[in-house]
Amino acid sequence: MQITKVDQLRDVVQRQVRDVEITDVHTHLYAENFGDLLLWGVDELLTYHYLIAEFFRYSDMEYEAFFQLTKKEQADRIWQALFVERSPVSEAQRGVLTVFKELGLDVSSRDLNAYREYVGSFSTAEYIDRVLEVSRVKEVVMTNDPFDDQERQIWETAGNKDSRFKGVLRVDPLLNSYPEACGTLQAWGYEVTPDLDTHSVREIRRFLTEWAQRMDALYLAVSLPPTFVVPEHSMRSRIVEECVLPVCRELNIPFAMMIGVKKRVNYKLELAGDSVGKADIRVLEYLCSTYPDNKFLVTMLARENQHELAVTARKFRNLFVFGCWWFLNNPSIIEETTRVRLELLGLSFAPQHSDARVLDQLVYKWNHSRSIIADVLTEKYTDLFQTGWRPTEAEIRRDVEALFGGNFWTFLRK
Ligand code: FIX
Ligand code: ZN
C-alpha cells in the first residue's frame, strides 16, 4: 500500500531499519567452539583497543605497566578514567553504555560490578544467543587466520560448528610479510621459495584453495597499508596477481581489500597503535579493469578516500563497497559517507559492518548505525516523496533488507 503522507515515512523507515535482520559482513568474532578466541563480557568490552587508546589520552601510566595488569584491573582503570572522572561522550565510550541499556541494565546506577555480575550469569552459548537476539544480527562473518596457531588447530579438528558464523580466509602475513610467511608455509608442507618461483606460485594457490575450502570462506581478505600498489615489483603485488586473484576466480569468491592501515605508529599501544593514511585509488581502477572476472569487496580507512571510492564503484560493477571502517565508524562520518554513497551508488552497497572484536559490541555498533542510516534514508525517501513518488512499505523493506545484507549475498552469488 502506498505511503500517502510524508510524515508517515519516518515511522516506516525507522521501523524497517530497526527490525531488519542483519548480515554483519566483517567482524573479529568467533563461534562458541573457537573457545577463548571469542571475546565477550564487561571487562573485554571496557578493554577494547579503541578505549585503551582513549584511556591513554588522560593517563601517564607506562604502557608496559598497563598491559601487565589483569583484564579486570585494566577495565577498572578505564572505567575510572573515561566514565567516572569524565563523561563518556566518545563513540566507543557511549557504546559501552548502549550495551548495558539494550541488555536492560540500569545505566544510571553506574554499578560496574552489577553489570559484570549480570553478564557473567550467562554461559557463552546463552550470551551469543542473547546478543544476536538483541542486536538482530542473523549472520556473523568472521575473520579467520590460518597463521594463528590456536585458530589453525581448531580448523584442523572441529572446524566451525555454528552456521550463524561464516568463515573468511584472512591472509595478511602472506601478502604483507611473505619472507616470514614463506618459512611457515614450508613447515606446513607447501613447497614455496623466497624468490616465488613458478612452483611456489602453484603451491601458494594450493594453500589458498585448501584453506578457503576448509573454512567454506565467503571471501578472501587482507588489510593493506595506504602505500598498497598493484602492479609493482614486489612479492605482494605478484602474489595478488599470480595467486590470490586466480584462486578467487576459480572459487568464485571476492577478494576483500581493507585499505589504509598504518600498522603500529605507536607500537607500545599494541592493537591500539594502528593509524590511518590516504591510499591511491588507482590501484582499484587497475584491479577492477584488468580483472573483470574477479569480484572486489572494498572498504577504505581514510575519510579522504570515501568519495573517490564511491565514484570508482560507479565505474566497475565488480567493485562492492562496504562499511564505515574503524576511525570512520562515528555518527558524523557514517552520516556523511552514507549520504554520499546513496547519492552516487543508489542502494548498491553495504552501508555498515561492525568490525566487532567483542561479542557485546554487536549491540551498540548496530544500534548506533541503524539510527544514523535510518535518518539518512528517511531524508532520501522524503526527497523522492517531494517529486510525487509514493513508495510502499514493502518497497522500503526490500531496500533496507538489500542494504543490510541482501546486496552482499547477491554480490557473492554473482
Ligand atoms: O584489519 C582489520 O580487520 C581491522 O579491522 C582491525 O585490525 C582493527 O584492529 C579493528 O578491529 C578495527 O575496528
Ligand atoms: Zn577488522
Side-chain angles (χ1 to χ4, degrees), residues 383-401:
D383 290 345
L384 289 182
F385 198 92
Q386 304 307 359
T387 70
W389 184 268
R390 296 292 179 267
T392 67
E393 178 147 8
E395 287 170 339
I396 292 174
R397 181 182 309 115
R398 170 203 62 194
D399 300 344
V400 166
E401 287 173 349

Side-chain angles (χ1 to χ4, degrees), residues 370-388:
R370 285 178 195 261
S371 170
I372 301 154
I373 295 166
D375 286 345
V376 178
L377 273 175
T378 300
E379 179 190 302
K380 293 306 174 188
Y381 285 114
T382 303
D383 290 345
L384 289 182
F385 198 92
Q386 304 307 359
T387 70

Side-chain angles (χ1 to χ4, degrees), residues 26-28 143 170 223 258 325-326 353-357:
H26 170 62
T27 77
H28 298 270
T143 297
R170 181 71 176 256
S223 81
M258 305 176 69
W325 182 24
W326 203 338
H353 69 280
S354 71
D355 231 308
R357 280 185 174 271

